[in-house]
Amino acid sequence: MPYLKPLFIASIIAISLASLPAISWATEQGQQRQQARDTRQQARPEARQTKQDCRAANQKSNAACRQDKRHTKQDARKTGRAIKY
């Protein structure tokens, strides 16, 4: 029976060491998601400003200005996806 205690401790250490890469990968993935989220959030005011500038210039219809805003947001989403994946 006394030889089981060191074996038990060794198995616990082996399991904990084997799980370290998974933990670091999860942390890295979380950071990538946060960067992508920040990118999308930074694009929101830009998209709003794009639409306001378009409407103030009175160059296009409201629908065309909305399309400009959508394109701005879609570009931000595309950048966010590039960061995440």
Side-chain angles (χ1 to χ4, degrees):
M1 279 308 230
Y3 61 89
L4 288 180
K5 189 173 182 179
L7 184 61
F8 179 71
I9 292 173
S11 63
I12 295 293
I13 291 172
I15 290 170
S16 63
L17 289 176
S19 66
L20 284 178
I23 292 170
S24 67
W25 184 78
T27 304
E28 182 180 331
Q29 187 182 28
Q31 290 171 348
Q32 290 172 345
R33 280 197 311 261
Q34 183 66 42
Q35 287 175 339
R37 189 177 311 119
D38 291 344
T39 301
R40 289 190 310 270
Q41 287 178 351
Q42 289 170 358
R44 288 178 188 156
E46 293 173 18
R48 259 183 240 119
Q49 191 62 43
T50 300
K51 184 176 178 184
Q52 288 172 356
D53 292 345
C54 177
R55 293 190 69 200
N58 205 13
Q59 301 170 9
K60 302 177 185 176
S61 67
N62 190 36
C65 291
R66 269 197 317 265
Q67 288 298 323
D68 289 348
K69 180 179 177 181
R70 283 188 186 128
H71 289 302
T72 303
K73 289 175 79 174
Q74 286 174 352
D75 289 342
R77 287 187 203 114
K78 188 180 204 179
T79 304
R81 281 194 291 283
I83 291 170
K84 266 179 27 178
Y85 304 111

